[in-house]
Amino acid sequence: MRFGRSLRYLERTDSTNDDARSALAQGAANGHTVVADAQDAGRGSRGRPWESPASTDLYVSIVDRLPLALAELPPLTLAVGLGVADAVDALLAGSGAVPSQVKWPNDVLIAGKKCAGVLIETSTGLPSGDAVVIGVGLNVNRVQFGAELAPLATSLRLSHPGKPLLDRTHALGVLLSRIEARVDEFVTQGASAIVRALEPRLALRGVRVRVEELEGTLRGVAASGALLLDTDFGLRQAISGRPEP
């Protein structure tokens, strides 16, 4: 296992992704991982802020050098999302929680509420070669969210109330191993293997959604990682945005 073999823990930082990028520029080992107890400027996709309070959740960024061209990387986000979903299900095994789902392109849901997000950032032209930074925020033991997030967000803890707090060190180990397994599957077997594994766990399948300018029924995911929508003008692919009913 390469993820987490080299690991830096920070009590507080602005962004673990920024810390991982800095470590990468200094020649960090493949799989180098940055974990923070709290972030002051955590971010999700499109620069959206990611709430990162202390002592409850996991904020993790991983350096990985993959033998892939930049054009081949878009499905990596889905592979990481699958790995996170695998970890969530493993950590909640026996709790009675419903299986998690992946909401295209980068969210993991429990019972329709977001428990985790993925942010992939690329770094090119470095002396050590091109690489990616895999950022993951996983809500572990948080039981309260702000008024705006409360209807939309959940945590592992909220998914099995009455149980003891989850050990975040154990959760980190499960998370890293499951993500690494899915990333390796993507590299060795291609995007089609990830799409096949994703299909039964894809959130909003069969629901009419809007993704930026496109509107239609969500049918699945193309091998390229694009979202497939059955629109009034035929099957179309969405390559950016977020599907919302």
Side-chain angles (χ1 to χ4, degrees):
M1 180 170 170
R2 67 187 181 282
F3 286 5
R5 184 177 299 170
S6 166
L7 187 144
R8 184 185 184 197
Y9 170 77
L10 301 167
E11 288 191 1
R12 190 169 211 101
T13 190
D14 285 342
S15 162
T16 57
N17 261 36
D18 289 345
D19 294 326
R21 288 169 68 90
S22 295
L24 178 59
Q26 296 169 24
N30 206 28
H32 176 71
T33 300
V34 180
V35 182
D37 184 56
Q39 293 182 121
D40 293 322
R43 61 183 180 272
S45 61
R46 299 191 173 190
R48 296 181 179 90
W50 181 270
E51 285 192 5
S52 309
S55 304
T56 59
D57 304 330
L58 285 174
Y59 318 114
V60 182
S61 295
I62 307 157
V63 169
D64 206 10
R65 297 176 180 84
L66 303 176
L68 300 172
L70 284 177
E72 299 175 282
L73 287 178
L76 176 63
T77 299
L78 298 176
V80 174
L82 263 178
V84 175
D86 290 341
V88 167
D89 290 350
L91 291 167
L92 291 180
S95 69
V98 298
S100 60
Q101 292 183 302
V102 177
K103 181 182 177 185
W104 186 93
N106 62 335
D107 293 339
V108 177
L109 311 181
I110 301 174
K113 289 188 174 185
K114 182 173 177 176
C115 70
V118 174
L119 177 63
I120 307 290
E121 295 181 319
T122 59
S123 295
T124 60
L126 297 171
S128 57
D130 298 348
V132 297
V133 170
I134 299 169
V136 176
L138 174 62
N139 299 332
V140 180
N141 287 318
R142 199 178 340 179
V143 295
Q144 292 184 328
F145 294 88
E148 184 177 343
L149 287 180
L152 308 172
T154 190
S155 68
L156 302 186
R157 173 74 173 155
L158 288 173
S159 299
H160 64 149
K163 300 290 185 180
L165 292 175
L166 282 84
D167 183 314
R168 285 189 296 161
T169 300
H170 170 68
L172 175 63
V174 174
L175 182 68
L176 292 177
S177 65
R178 299 306 174 96
I179 293 174
E180 182 174 333
R182 288 297 188 180
V183 170
D184 288 349
E185 181 181 7
F186 171 53
V187 171
T188 59
Q189 300 182 38
S192 59
I194 296 301
V195 170
R196 285 194 302 271
L198 176 67
E199 288 291 347
R201 304 173 74 171
L202 182 64
L204 300 178
R205 176 187 295 281
V207 176
R208 191 165 182 84
V209 298
R210 185 173 185 85
V211 188
E212 296 187 335
E213 298 83 11
L214 286 175
E215 185 172 343
T217 302
L218 196 156
R219 295 301 185 198
V221 176
S224 65
L227 195 66
L228 297 174
L229 297 179
D230 191 357
T231 74
D232 295 338
F233 308 99
L235 200 62
R236 296 289 186 270
Q237 295 188 8
I239 59 173
S240 64
R242 301 165 65 88
E244 299 297 343

